[in-house]
C-alpha cells in the first residue's frame, strides 16, 4: 500500500501521535483518503464524519504540541457499529425503520472513546438490528469482504471488520450476540473480541438479545484489542447488568499482554471440530501445534449440550428481540407510515414497511416462543439448556485455562449463497453461540488461509472475566505467527 | 316477583398507588404533577433505542413498607417482568412489572365499619410496576401523548372479593389512603390520580332456592371516594334489575368493563367482553433480580409506624375517646402524633382532644397546614389543657388562649394573664362577693331554700350574678360550692 501510515496498528499509531511524530490529522486524512478510494467498493460505512473527525484530530494535535495531557487513544481514528447511539449523525441499526433516527444521547462506549480522545470517523454497516451472519440483512447497503469482493464479510458486525481489514480505520467497535464480532473477524482476517457479558456497558447499544449482547473491539492485533479494552471495559451505573468491579476487577489489559501464561492448559472438543471444513480443521490443528511448541498441554473436553445451543439461542435471542423491537412503532420516533387509517395502522404499517425480512422472521419466532401455552416448552426450556451449557463450560474450565475451537465452520462464503436458507445461515454461528449463552469471553485470532486465500480464525474461549488471561493466550499465538500481518488488497 | 329473591354483593378491588419518590422508577427524571407536557422525560423513560432501566431502590423500599403494613408475606427474592401490549402511552410497548413473583402477597387490611367494628379484607398481592403516560384527545383529528407520568413508580394492590357494599369499598379506600399517607409513601390524592381504584362487582342471587351469579363488571374512571362508593351501589342495583328483567347470568369469561359517568351518576358500558390478552410476560433481561436480605428488611421495618386503624382503636380503649374523635385525630399522622405528644406531656386526653378537634384543626385548616406546623408546641398544648382542668381558665377562655398561642408564640399562662382570663378561685375573696349577692337577692335565696322547681333555676341565677360581679373571672366550680354551703 502506498500509505505506510495505514499499515500501522493502533498501538504504534497511538505512540507516534503521542510522541508528536505523526499528526492525528495526517492519520485521519489518510483514513478518509482510503475511504474515498475504497469504500465505494467495500461498503463498510453507513455514515462518516469527516469534518468533525478532522476538527477533533486538529484539536488533539494542538494539545500535544502545547504539551497538554491527552486521552489514552488520543488522535486514533476509530469506527463504531451503527447500533451504538451517537448524538452526531444517525443511529440506524442498518434498518429503514431507524434510517433517520438521531439519538439524543451517546452510548457509554462512545462517551468512553470520546473521553479517551479517539477520533470517531464513522459508523459501520451491519445486519439489520444485528440479526444475521453476513451483513446481507442490512436494510441500507451492501458490504463486501475486502479479501474477495464476491464474498460476504460475515456478520453482523461485517461493516466494522471490513473497515479494519480494508484499512478504513485503525480499530472499530462491534457487538456480539451469537458470534457477531468473532465470525466476521474470522472472515475478514482481523482480531475480534467478545468480552464477558457485563464487562462492557450496553447502555446505548440498541438491544437485540439483551441477555446475550456484548460490545467488543475489532482490531488488527491482539495487543490492540487489549488497548481498546482498557478504554471500554468497566462498570456503568446506567447498566444494571454491567458487573460491579468489586466482584470482577477491570485490569490494565496491556500491562502483561506480552507475558505468556505458564503451564498453559488448552482444551479441545474433538467431536465438535469434526464438523468444520477441512482447511479450517487443518488450521486449527496447526494452531494446536504452535501452542504445543510453546509448552502448552492439550487436553480433551466434552460439551454434551452444545448440540442444543443453536436451538436454545434462537429461542432466547428472538424472544428478547421481539420485545426489544416492539418500541419501533412509528408513534414516537423512526419511520411512520403515510396516512394511516387509524392508530393500529400506525403500528402495523410502519413496522411492515420499516423492518426487513429477517427481522420480521425473528420477531415472529420470538413472539411465538413467548406466547401463553408455548412459553414453557420453548422459552423456559431454552433457559434450562442455557444453564446446562454454562455447566459444560464450568466443568471444562476445571480442567483447562481455555478452550479452542474454530470460529466458524467455513471461511467467507459467496454473497447470496445462504440468503434463501436461514437455517444454513444460522449454522455459521455454531461455534460462537455457546459463549454468548454462557456469558464467557471469546476471541477470534487469524490462524491461516484456505485455498482461496481467505482468512481463517481461531477461537479461544476463557472463563468469565478472564479477558486478561484470554488476551495473553491469544497474544502467545500471535507472537509466533504472522497471519495477522497479512493485509487484504482491494482492487 | 322479587319477594323470593335475596342476594349477596361481592366486590374485589384492584388499586394503583403512585409512590411519591423523588425520581421515577427506572430513570432519574423528577416526579412532578402538572408540569409542562413532556418536560419530565429522558431517553430512558421515552423508551429510546439502546436505553436501560436502573431500579429506584426507594420505590422498592416504599413498596415493601406497604406490603408489611398490609400484613403481607414479603418476598426475599423477586424479579422484573416485561408485560407486552401496544399502546401509544407506553413508549417501549411493554411495561416493566412483576408477574409470578410479586414483592408481597397474602395479607389483609382491617377496615372500620360504621358500627364501630372492623372487618378484615384479604390482600391477594401487592407488586411494583411503572406507570404509563397519558394520551390526550384534545387536538382535533389526532391525539397527543404526554409522557411525564411514564415510569412513575406504581404499586398495584389486589384484594380478594371480600367487600359487600359501596360503603365497605369506600372504607377500604379511605383506610388505605390514610395508611399510605402515614407511611409517607404516597400523596394519595385521588383527584390527581395518585390512587386509582377499579372495583370488580357481581352478585350471588338466590331465587327459588337456586343460586345465580351475575357477570363480573369492572368499573373505571373513578376519581373520588364518593364516585367509588356510588358506582358500586349503582352496579349492585343495575345488576339486580338486569337479572330480574332478563335472567342474565355469568357465562364463561363474560366480564365487562364499565366507566363511571359522574354527571349522570351511572356506569356506562365500555367493553363487553374482556379481550383474551396475551401479555407474553417474560423476565426483563435488563434488570437484576431483587434479593431482600434480613438486614435490608429490618432497615425497612424500622420505618414502620403504628397504623392509623390501630391508633384509632387504641385511642378509644386507652384514652376513652369516642370512635368519632379518635377517627378525627388519626385522620393524618402529624395530628395523631401531636395529640400523643401533648398527652405524654401531661394533658388530659379528652381535654387535648377537644382543643385539637374544636379549635386546633380549624386554625390549621385556615392556615392551610397541619396542626403540628402551627406555632404550637405539644408542651404548651398540654399546659393549656391542665389550666382548663385545674379551673384556672374556663373552657371557652381556653379556646381563645389557644387561638392566641398560634399567633404569638407565648405560653398559655402568659396569654391568660395578659387577657385577664385567669379565674378567681380564692374562696375567701369569693365568699365576700357571694355574701353580697345573697344580700342583694333575698327573693332568689328564698326560692333556693324552698326547694322544688324554682330552686335549681334560682341557684343558677345567683351563680350568674357572682360571675358577673367578677367580670367573668370567678371559677364557677368554686362559686357553686360556696353557694351550696351558704344556702343549705
Ligand atoms: Zn426519565
Amino acid at each position: 500500500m502506498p500509505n505506510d501510515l495505514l499499515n500501522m496498528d493502533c498501538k504504534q499509531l497511538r505512540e507516534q501521535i503521542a510522541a508528536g511524530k505523526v499528526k492525528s490529522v495526517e492519520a485521519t486524512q489518510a483514513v478518509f483518503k482510503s475511504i474515498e478510494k475504497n469504500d465505494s467498493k467495500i461498503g463498510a460505512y453507513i455514515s462518516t464524519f469527516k469534518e468533525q473527525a478532522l476538527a477533533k484530530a486538529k484539536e488533539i494535535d494542538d494539545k500535544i504540541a502545547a504539551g497538554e495531557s491527552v486521552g489514552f487513544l488520543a488522535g486514533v481514528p476509530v469506527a463504531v457499529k451503527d447500533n451504538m447511539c451517537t448524538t452526531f449523525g444517525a443511529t440506524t441499526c442498518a434498518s429503514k425503520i431507524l434510517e433517520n433516527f438521531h439519538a439524543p444521547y451517546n452510548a457509554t462506549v462512545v462517551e468512553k472513546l470520546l473521553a479517551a480522545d479517539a477520533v470517531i470517523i464513522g459508523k459501520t454497516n451491519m445486519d439489520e438490528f444485528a440479526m444475521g451472519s453476513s451483513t446481507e440483512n442490512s436494510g441500507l447497503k451492501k458490504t463486501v469482504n475486502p479479501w474477495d469482493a464476491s464474498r460476504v464479510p460475515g456478520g453482523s458486525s461485517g461493516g466494522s471488520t471490513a473497515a479494519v481489514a480494508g484499512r478504513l480505520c485503525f480499530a472499530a467497535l462491534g457487538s456480539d450476540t451469537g458470534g457477531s464480532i468473532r465470525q466476521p473477524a474470522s472472515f475478514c482476517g482481523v482480531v475480534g473480541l467478545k468480552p464477558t457479558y457485563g464487562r462492557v456497558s450496553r447502555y446505548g447499544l440498541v438491544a437485540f438479545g439483551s441477555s446475550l449482547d456484548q460490545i467488543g473491539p475489532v482490531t488488527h492485533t491482539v495487543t490492540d484489542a487489549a488497548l481498546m479494552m482498557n478504554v471500554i471495559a468497566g462498570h456503568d451505573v446506567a447498566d444494571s447488568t454491567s458487573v460491579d468491579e468489586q466482584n470482577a476487577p477491570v485490569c490494565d489489559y496491556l500491562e502483561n499482554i506480552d507475558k505468556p501464561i505458564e503451564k498453559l492448559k488448552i482444551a479441545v472438543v474433538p467431536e465438535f471440530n469434526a464438523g468444520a471444513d477441512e482447511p479450517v480443521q487443518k488450521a486449527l490443528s496447526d494452531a494446536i501445534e504452535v501452542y504445543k511448541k510453546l509448552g502448552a498441554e492439550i487436553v480433551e473436553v466434552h460439551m454434551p449440550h452444545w448440540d442444543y445451543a443453536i436451538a436454545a439461542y434462537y429461542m432466547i435471542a428472538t424472544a428478547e428481540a421481539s420485545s426489544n423491537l416492539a418500541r419501533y412503532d412509528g408513534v414516537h420516533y423512526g419511520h411512520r407510515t403515510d396516512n394511516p387509517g387509524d392508530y393500529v395502522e400506525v403500528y402495523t404499517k410502519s413496522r411492515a414497511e420499516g423492518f426487513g425480512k429477517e427481522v420480521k422472521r425473528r420477531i415472529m419466532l420470538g413472539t411465538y416462543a413467548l406466547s401463553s401455552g408455548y412459553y414453557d416448552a420453548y422459552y423456559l426450556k431454552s433457559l434450562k439448556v442455557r444453564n446446562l451449557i454454562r455447566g459444560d463450560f464450568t466443568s471444562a474450565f476445571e480442567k483447562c485455562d481455555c478452550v479452542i475451537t474454530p470460529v466458524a465452520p467455513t471461511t467467507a462464503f459467496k454473497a447470496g449463497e445462504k440468503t434463501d436458507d436461514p437455517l444454513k445461515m444460522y449454522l455459521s454461528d455454531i461455534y460462537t453461540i455457546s459463549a454468548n449463552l454462557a456469558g464467557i469471553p471469546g476471541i477470534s485470532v487469524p490462524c491461516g488461509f484456505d485455498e482461496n486465500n481467505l482468512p481463517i480464525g481461531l477461537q479461544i474461549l476463557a472463563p468469565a472475566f478472564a479477558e486478561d488471561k484470554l488476551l495473553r493466550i491469544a497474544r502467545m499465538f500471535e507472537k509466533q505467527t504472522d497471519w495477522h500481518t497479512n493485509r487484504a488488497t482491494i482492487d | 316477583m322479587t319477594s323470593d329473591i335475596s342476594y349477596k354483593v361481592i366486590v374485589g378491588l384492584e388499586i394503583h398507588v403512585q409512590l411519591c419518590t423523588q425520581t421515577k422508577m427506572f430513570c432519574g427524571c423528577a416526579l412532578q404533577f402538572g408540569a409542562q407536557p413532556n418536560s419530565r422525560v429522558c431517553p430512558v423513560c421515552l423508551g429510546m433505542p439502546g436505553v436501560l432501566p436502573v431500579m429506584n431502590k426507594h420505590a422498592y423500599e416504599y413498596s415493601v413498607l406497604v406490603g408489611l403494613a398490609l400484613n403481607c408475606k414479603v418476598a426475599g427474592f423477586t424479579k422484573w417482568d416485561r408485560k407486552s401490549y401496544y399502546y401509544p402511552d407506553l413508549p417501549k410497548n411493554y411495561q416493566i412489572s412483576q408477574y409470578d413473583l410479586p414483592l408481597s402477597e397474602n395479607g389483609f387490611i382491617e377496615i372500620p365499619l360504621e358500627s364501630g367494628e372492623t372487618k378484615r379484607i384479604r390482600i391477594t398481592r401487592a407488586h411494583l410496576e411503572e406507570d404509563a403516560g397519558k394520551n390526550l384527545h384534545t387536538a382535533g383529528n389526532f391525539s397527543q401523548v404526554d409522557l411525564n407520568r411514564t415510569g412513575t413508580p406504581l404499586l398495584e394492590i389486589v384484594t380478594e372479593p371480600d367487600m359487600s357494599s359501596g360503603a365497605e369499598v369506600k372504607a377500604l379506600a379511605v383506610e388505605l389512603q390514610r395508611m399510605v399517607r402515614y407511611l409517607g409513601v404516597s400523596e394519595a390524592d385521588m383527584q390527581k390520580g395518585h390512587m386509582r381504584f377499579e372495583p370488580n362487582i357481581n352478585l350471588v342471587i338466590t331465587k327459588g332456592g337456586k343460586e345465580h351469579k351475575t357477570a363480573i363488571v369492572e368499573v373505571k374512571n373513578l376519581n373520588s371516594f364518593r364516585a367509588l362508593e356510588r358506582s358500586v351501589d349503582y352496579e349492585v342495583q343495575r345488576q339486580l334489575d338486569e337479572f330480574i328483567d332478563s335472567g342474565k347470568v355469568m357465562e364463561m369469561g363474560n366480564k365487562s368493563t364499565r366507566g363511571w359517568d359522574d354527571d349522570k351518576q351511572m356506569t356506562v358500558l365500555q367493553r363487553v367482553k374482556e379481550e383474551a390478552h396475551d401479555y407474553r410476560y417474560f423476565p426483563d433481561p435488563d434488570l437484576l433480580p431483587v434479593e431482600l436480605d434480613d438486614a435490608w428488611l429490618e432497615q425497612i421495618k424500622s420505618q414502620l409506624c403504628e397504623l392509623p386503624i390501630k391508633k384509632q382503636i387504641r385511642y378509644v380503649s386507652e384514652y376513652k375517646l369516642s370512635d368519632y374523635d379518635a377517627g378525627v385525630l388519626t385522620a393524618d399522622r402529624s395530628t395523631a402524633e401531636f395529640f400523643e405528644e401533648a398527652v405524654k406531656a401531661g394533658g388530659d386526653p379528652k381535654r387535648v382532644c377537644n382543643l385539637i378537634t374544636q379549635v386546633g384543626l380549624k386554625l390549621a385548616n385556615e392556615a392551610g397546614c397541619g396542626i403540628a406546623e402551627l406555632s404550637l408546641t405539644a408542651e404548651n398544648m398540654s399546659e393549656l389543657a391542665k389550666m382548663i382542668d385545674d379551673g384556672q381558665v374556663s373552657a371557652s377562655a381556653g379556646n381563645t388562649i389557644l387561638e392566641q398561642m398560634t399567633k404569638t408564640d407565648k405560653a398559655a399562662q402568659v396569654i391568660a394573664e395578659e387577657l385577664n382570663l385567669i379565674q378567681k378561685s380564692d374562696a375567701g375573696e369569693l365568699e365576700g362577693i357571694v355574701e353580697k349577692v345573697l344580700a342583694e337577692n333575698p327573693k332568689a335565696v328564698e326560692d333556693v331554700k324552698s326547694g322544688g322547681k324554682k330552686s335549681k333555676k334560682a341557684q343558677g341565677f345567683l351563680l350568674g350574678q357572682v360571675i358577673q360581679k367578677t367580670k367573668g373571672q370567678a371559677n364557677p366550680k368554686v362559686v357553686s360550692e360556696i353557694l351550696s354551703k351558704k344556702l343549705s
Side-chain angles (χ1 to χ4, degrees):
Chain A
M1 279 299 285
N3 201 331
D4 284 347
L5 209 51
L6 291 177
N7 274 330
M8 284 188 197
D9 58 37
C10 265
K11 184 170 175 277
Q12 291 165 336
L13 181 68
R14 168 179 171 263
E15 284 161 3
Q16 298 278 312
I17 290 174
K21 288 181 188 158
V22 170
K23 296 279 182 217
S24 173
V25 168
E26 290 174 61
T28 307
Q29 273 168 344
V31 162
F32 275 101
K33 225 166 141 186
S34 176
I35 290 173
E36 278 147 26
K37 183 163 170 270
N38 293 323
D39 201 40
S40 55
K41 284 171 259 171
I42 297 175
Y45 286 98
I46 289 178
S47 54
T48 52
F49 317 110
K50 189 174 180 181
E51 223 169 278
Q52 177 187 309
L54 285 168
K56 173 84 179 183
K58 171 104 182 16
E59 184 194 314
I60 302 301
D61 287 338
D62 290 349
K63 273 191 182 173
I64 290 168
E68 288 174 40
S69 68
V70 286
F72 191 75
L73 270 181
V76 177
V78 299
V80 297
K81 189 176 178 179
D82 208 16
N83 59 351
M84 297 171 208
C85 287
T86 50
T87 54
F88 45 90
T91 299
T92 68
C93 289
S95 179
K96 286 204 158 49
I97 212 159
L98 287 178
E99 193 169 2
N100 298 306
F101 173 70
H102 290 253
Y105 72 104
N106 281 326
T108 298
V109 287
V110 170
E111 286 292 337
K112 288 191 167 198
L113 286 178
L114 294 175
D117 284 331
V119 175
I120 298 177
I121 54 162
K123 300 185 77 177
T124 56
N125 196 24
M126 53 188 279
D127 286 298
E128 184 180 4
F129 284 103
M131 296 177 184
S133 308
S134 67
T135 311
E136 290 167 293
N137 294 331
S138 170
L140 301 183
K141 71 185 298 181
K142 184 180 169 185
T143 303
V144 303
N145 192 316
W147 293 87
D148 178 346
S150 71
R151 294 176 187 268
V152 301
S156 66
S157 307
S160 289
T161 56
V164 174
R167 274 157 295 171
L168 309 175
C169 64
F170 287 86
L173 293 184
S175 69
D176 190 317
T177 306
S180 279
I181 289 174
R182 290 161 287 159
Q183 185 257 24
S186 164
F187 280 18
C188 290
V190 295
V191 173
L193 170 68
K194 181 204 95 76
T196 310
Y197 184 78
R199 180 81 297 174
V200 178
S201 169
R202 291 187 297 119
Y203 187 74
L205 170 69
V206 179
F208 159 21
S210 309
S211 71
L212 303 155
D213 296 341
Q214 187 65 189
I215 292 172
V218 176
T219 54
H220 285 299
T221 66
V222 172
T223 307
D224 281 0
L227 188 139
M228 292 294 281
M229 281 300 283
N230 272 6
V231 175
I232 62 172
H235 176 65
D236 180 6
V237 288
D239 177 359
S240 314
T241 63
S242 78
V243 171
D244 190 337
E245 284 173 40
Q246 277 185 321
N247 298 332
V250 167
C251 53
D252 179 347
Y253 297 102
L254 267 184
E255 196 184 0
N256 297 313
I257 190 71
D258 286 313
K259 219 161 112 190
I261 303 289
E262 286 178 34
K263 292 183 187 154
L264 177 62
K265 253 191 186 172
I266 293 175
V268 290
V269 195
E271 73 269 23
F272 212 62
N273 298 340
D277 281 1
E278 198 273 320
V280 174
Q281 289 197 43
K282 167 87 172 44
L284 184 73
S285 33
D286 290 350
I288 291 168
E289 288 308 312
V290 171
Y291 277 114
K292 274 187 184 162
K293 278 195 190 126
L294 289 169
E297 184 189 338
I298 310 296
V299 297
E300 286 187 2
V301 291
H302 299 280
M303 298 282 183
H305 302 99
W306 273 29
D307 283 348
Y308 308 102
I310 287 204
Y313 171 83
Y314 276 95
M315 282 295 109
I316 294 168
T318 58
E320 291 176 1
S322 73
S323 164
N324 287 330
L325 271 60
R327 70 191 65 194
Y328 310 111
D329 59 5
V331 174
H332 303 278
Y333 51 80
H335 172 73
R336 180 188 291 175
T337 190
D338 294 328
N339 306 313
D342 56 17
Y343 89 90
V344 175
E345 269 190 22
V346 174
Y347 293 134
T348 53
K349 287 195 168 172
S350 300
R351 288 167 70 78
E353 293 161 7
F355 288 136
K357 210 165 90 181
E358 181 63 22
V359 171
K360 284 177 190 165
R361 177 166 24 238
R362 296 199 192 190
I363 289 173
M364 287 172 71
L365 271 173
T367 304
Y368 188 79
L370 290 177
S371 295
S372 88
Y374 299 100
Y375 181 89
D376 289 0
Y378 295 115
Y379 189 73
L380 211 59
K381 188 142 226 169
S382 300
L383 292 185
K384 287 177 187 162
V385 171
R386 184 178 192 166
N387 273 333
L388 292 172
I389 288 170
R390 257 195 210 121
D392 283 357
F393 276 110
T394 307
S395 26
F397 288 133
E398 281 164 11
K399 297 181 208 124
C400 63
D401 297 293
C402 67
V403 175
I404 66 175
T405 75
V407 176
T410 67
T411 52
F413 46 84
K414 293 268 188 193
E417 196 181 311
K418 297 185 180 179
T419 40
D420 293 332
D421 190 347
L423 283 181
K424 222 166 152 192
M425 187 74 94
Y426 294 173
L427 283 175
S428 54
D429 295 333
I430 192 156
Y431 297 122
T432 47
I433 268 173
S434 295
N436 299 82
L437 289 171
I440 60 167
I443 194 168
S444 171
V445 190
C447 72
F449 289 88
D450 72 359
E451 67 281 11
N452 297 316
N453 196 37
L454 295 169
I456 300 170
L458 169 72
Q459 177 172 243
I460 312 171
L461 302 170
F465 301 106
E467 280 85 357
D468 178 48
K469 196 181 195 181
L470 175 64
L471 286 162
R472 283 167 63 191
I473 295 170
R475 178 68 185 138
M476 286 166 72
F477 178 79
E478 191 180 67
K479 269 203 276 190
Q480 298 301 311
T481 58
D482 59 2
W483 307 113
H484 63 284
T485 61
N486 290 276
R487 292 283 187 264
T489 45
I490 311 115
D491 18 66
Chain B
M1 180 68 191
T2 56
S3 55
D4 64 333
I5 280 188
S6 65
Y7 65 92
K8 223 168 74 191
V9 179
I10 297 173
V11 192
L13 275 174
E14 195 179 299
I15 307 147
H16 287 94
V17 182
Q18 276 188 2
L19 302 179
C20 59
T21 45
Q22 296 275 305
T23 54
K24 291 185 180 181
M25 188 63 230
F26 296 111
C27 66
C29 288
L31 286 188
Q32 199 184 349
F33 182 82
Q36 178 85 11
N38 298 313
S39 65
R40 295 295 180 273
V41 292
C42 71
V44 176
C45 55
L46 289 176
M48 286 284 173
V51 297
L52 297 169
V54 176
M55 183 186 86
N56 181 338
K57 216 175 150 189
H58 292 294
Y60 199 85
E61 291 176 348
Y62 281 11
S63 305
V64 170
L65 206 51
V66 176
L68 291 169
L70 290 172
N71 306 291
C72 285
K73 189 175 158 284
V74 173
F77 179 93
T78 57
K79 63 182 173 67
W80 302 100
D81 299 287
R82 294 184 181 177
K83 176 183 181 179
S84 294
Y85 63 93
Y86 281 83
Y87 208 58
D89 65 7
L90 191 68
K92 302 188 295 294
N93 288 320
Y94 63 80
Q95 178 192 30
I96 304 176
S97 182
Q98 298 189 301
Y99 179 51
D100 52 341
L101 297 175
L103 60 84
S104 60
E105 54 191 336
N106 298 330
F108 62 86
I109 181 172
E110 301 278 0
I111 61 166
L113 301 179
E114 273 161 25
S115 64
E117 300 185 326
T118 62
K119 179 174 175 179
R120 179 171 289 196
I121 308 296
R122 289 169 299 156
I123 302 293
T124 317
R125 58 184 278 162
H127 74 256
L128 191 50
E129 59 191 26
E130 55 175 350
D131 208 346
K134 272 182 189 162
N135 291 340
L136 309 167
H137 309 285
T138 49
N141 204 19
F142 53 90
S143 296
Q144 295 171 306
V145 187
D146 178 5
L147 297 177
N148 281 353
R149 198 178 72 178
T150 308
T152 299
L154 198 60
L155 186 66
E156 181 179 311
I157 303 168
V158 181
T159 79
E160 293 291 313
D162 289 351
M163 285 153 282
S164 52
S165 68
E168 284 185 15
V169 171
K170 185 187 169 194
L172 184 139
V174 172
E175 192 52 40
L176 188 69
Q177 182 190 53
R178 188 161 69 148
M179 176 191 285
V180 295
R181 284 181 174 170
Y182 260 64
L183 297 173
V185 301
S186 174
E187 291 172 38
D189 187 333
M190 272 186 86
Q191 270 77 40
K192 291 182 180 172
H194 297 152
M195 285 188 108
R196 309 197 277 272
F197 294 89
E198 284 161 12
N200 277 260
I201 308 149
N202 79 327
L203 307 178
V204 177
I205 299 171
T206 311
K207 186 185 171 192
K210 240 184 107 189
E211 276 197 354
H212 308 271
K213 285 180 184 163
T214 59
I216 296 173
V217 168
E218 181 172 298
V219 184
K220 292 184 185 283
N221 309 340
L222 300 165
N223 61 3
S224 71
F225 291 134
R226 240 166 75 111
L228 177 61
E229 180 175 16
R230 290 195 175 178
S231 73
V232 173
D233 292 338
Y234 178 88
E235 261 312 303
V236 169
Q237 195 57 50
R238 193 195 62 75
Q239 291 184 23
L240 185 63
D241 292 348
E242 188 180 71
F243 174 78
I244 292 167
D245 285 352
S246 66
K248 234 161 104 178
V249 292
M250 183 190 284
E251 291 158 33
M252 271 291 281
N254 68 344
K255 181 179 165 178
S256 59
T257 304
R258 301 177 72 92
W260 176 247
D261 185 327
D262 213 39
D263 295 331
K264 294 185 182 142
Q265 293 285 300
M266 61 187 287
T267 63
V268 181
L269 188 66
Q270 285 182 337
R271 263 204 316 263
V272 175
K273 202 174 170 185
E274 192 83 337
E275 284 167 47
H277 266 303
D278 183 355
Y279 290 118
R280 299 193 304 280
Y281 281 103
F282 81 106
D284 192 330
D286 290 333
L287 287 159
L288 302 177
V290 188
E291 283 173 66
L292 182 67
D293 60 20
D294 288 347
W296 192 14
L297 181 62
E298 284 312 309
Q299 185 211 319
I300 298 170
K301 270 186 184 165
S302 72
Q303 295 163 46
L304 267 179
C305 59
E306 187 184 24
L307 294 175
I309 186 82
K310 287 203 176 134
K311 265 195 201 303
Q312 187 173 348
I313 293 166
R314 181 167 65 83
Y315 286 8
V316 172
S317 64
E318 189 177 331
Y319 301 135
K320 312 292 173 225
L321 301 182
S322 70
D323 188 52
Y324 177 81
D325 279 345
V328 174
L329 289 176
T330 55
D332 73 87
R333 185 172 170 179
S334 66
T335 305
E337 283 175 351
F338 184 82
F339 164 77
E340 285 179 36
E341 270 178 65
V343 170
K344 218 165 131 194
D348 173 65
K350 181 70 195 160
R351 180 67 67 197
V352 173
C353 168
N354 286 346
L355 285 167
I356 291 175
T357 56
Q358 288 164 17
V359 185
L361 289 175
K362 195 185 89 199
L363 294 172
N365 196 30
E366 283 165 9
C369 64
I371 191 157
E373 289 152 86
L374 293 169
S375 63
L376 260 185
T377 64
E379 288 72 25
N380 286 345
M381 182 64 114
S382 86
E383 188 201 331
L384 176 60
K386 275 185 263 181
M387 284 170 70
I388 297 168
D389 286 330
D390 292 351
Q392 287 192 62
V393 295
S394 67
S396 69
N399 292 350
T400 311
I401 293 166
L402 180 55
E403 200 166 338
Q404 287 304 308
M405 280 161 70
T406 65
K407 289 178 187 157
T408 60
D409 269 343
K410 290 177 186 165
Q413 187 74 37
V414 176
I415 295 170
E417 278 163 16
E418 278 178 7
L419 296 180
N420 262 328
L421 294 172
I422 301 286
Q423 294 186 134
K424 285 194 167 64
S425 302
D426 178 39
E429 190 187 334
L430 288 173
E431 242 183 79
I433 300 166
V434 170
E435 269 166 18
K436 221 171 153 195
V437 168
L438 294 182
E440 284 167 8
N441 298 285
K443 174 81 176 75
V445 173
E446 195 129 315
D447 285 347
V448 175
K449 285 186 173 165
S450 69
K453 268 188 184 174
K454 288 179 180 171
S455 169
K456 226 180 172 136
K457 203 179 163 197
Q459 186 150 352
F461 170 77
L462 292 169
L463 175 63
Q465 289 297 305
V466 176
I467 304 280
Q468 208 173 43
K469 272 216 154 43
T470 60
K471 297 194 178 99
Q473 289 177 34
N475 182 338
K477 215 170 125 201
V478 180
V479 175
S480 292
E481 278 164 18
I482 298 170
L483 272 175
S484 303
K485 204 171 73 195
K486 298 247 177 226
L487 295 171
S488 61

